[in-house]
Amino acid sequence: MKDERGLTLYELLAAISILMVASALIYGVFFGFNKNYNQISAKNNMDQAANVIIATIKQYHLKYDEYIIDYNAATQSAQIGVATSEQILGDARYSLQIKAGIDEPESFTGEKVIDSNSPISIHLIIKDETGQTHEMETMIKRY
């Protein structure tokens, strides 16, 4: 019987090939998880931005008898205010589409005067730079 010390070339190649297969699997799982995390994070950020917009509109609806929503379709941005549009709705990271109406949300461009004595129906679409969108529809009324 010979005194064998060390590894043969076949054993070394087998170990390297097993290690490469395992590392490829781990690499795929890690980057798949990272991609899903980024998508979920972006969706949550858009959801938060939409909630802030709706909360701002609700605050104006409950506080003032009449207010203005100014929507610019070209830049896809909106502002809100009492006498003039003074507060920006949304975030610079997202483009915004907003529809508002008494019974049914309707498209508009420019200033829309909202009477707070009637409920308002809002339809909001937020889009980020990657094309991912978040849509929200709600009704706001005074109690």
Side-chain angles (χ1 to χ4, degrees), residues 38 58 142:
N38 289 338
K58 184 176 183 179
R142 283 185 166 177

Side-chain angles (χ1 to χ4, degrees), residues 57 61 67 69 98-108 112-124 137-141:
I57 294 172
H61 199 78
Y67 59 95
I69 297 177
I98 188 167
K99 297 178 183 177
I102 303 241
D103 295 325
E104 193 73 26
E106 54 192 36
S107 297
F108 68 95
K112 183 174 182 86
V113 178
I114 308 294
D115 179 20
S116 297
N117 296 320
S118 302
I120 182 172
S121 183
I122 303 283
H123 183 221
L124 188 66
E137 190 165 337
T138 189
M139 179 156 298
I140 302 171
K141 61 182 177 178

Side-chain angles (χ1 to χ4, degrees), residues 39-76:
Q39 286 177 343
I40 291 170
S41 178
K43 195 72 163 171
N44 285 338
N45 289 339
M46 284 194 298
D47 186 41
Q48 287 176 348
N51 284 333
V52 167
I53 292 169
I54 295 297
T56 304
I57 294 172
K58 184 176 183 179
Q59 179 184 7
Y60 273 82
H61 199 78
L62 296 176
K63 190 173 182 180
Y64 302 106
D65 290 332
E66 192 174 86
Y67 59 95
I68 298 169
I69 297 177
D70 185 9
Y71 176 64
N72 186 340
T75 60
Q76 292 188 329

Side-chain angles (χ1 to χ4, degrees), residues 1-139:
M1 195 163 167
K2 295 181 185 178
D3 186 16
E4 295 181 18
R5 293 186 185 177
L7 299 172
T8 65
L9 184 58
Y10 292 120
E11 292 170 334
L12 186 60
L13 288 174
I16 289 174
S17 63
I18 291 171
L19 182 64
M20 289 183 69
V21 168
S23 64
L25 290 173
I26 291 170
Y27 178 82
V29 169
F30 176 73
F31 283 104
F33 173 77
N34 198 22
K35 181 181 176 186
N36 286 340
Y37 173 79
N38 289 338
Q39 286 177 343
I40 291 170
S41 178
K43 195 72 163 171
N44 285 338
N45 289 339
M46 284 194 298
D47 186 41
Q48 287 176 348
N51 284 333
V52 167
I53 292 169
I54 295 297
T56 304
I57 294 172
K58 184 176 183 179
Q59 179 184 7
Y60 273 82
H61 199 78
L62 296 176
K63 190 173 182 180
Y64 302 106
D65 290 332
E66 192 174 86
Y67 59 95
I68 298 169
I69 297 177
D70 185 9
Y71 176 64
N72 186 340
T75 60
Q76 292 188 329
S77 61
Q79 294 181 328
I80 192 169
V82 179
T84 61
S85 52
E86 53 206 28
Q87 183 177 354
I88 296 173
L89 286 175
D91 192 320
R93 297 177 294 172
Y94 307 114
S95 62
L96 173 70
Q97 292 178 355
I98 188 167
K99 297 178 183 177
I102 303 241
D103 295 325
E104 193 73 26
E106 54 192 36
S107 297
F108 68 95
T109 300
E111 290 186 352
K112 183 174 182 86
V113 178
I114 308 294
D115 179 20
S116 297
N117 296 320
S118 302
I120 182 172
S121 183
I122 303 283
H123 183 221
L124 188 66
I125 301 172
I126 295 180
K127 189 178 199 179
D128 68 0
E129 64 277 353
T130 65
Q132 192 172 9
T133 61
H134 181 72
E135 207 167 325
M136 183 179 279
E137 190 165 337
T138 189
M139 179 156 298

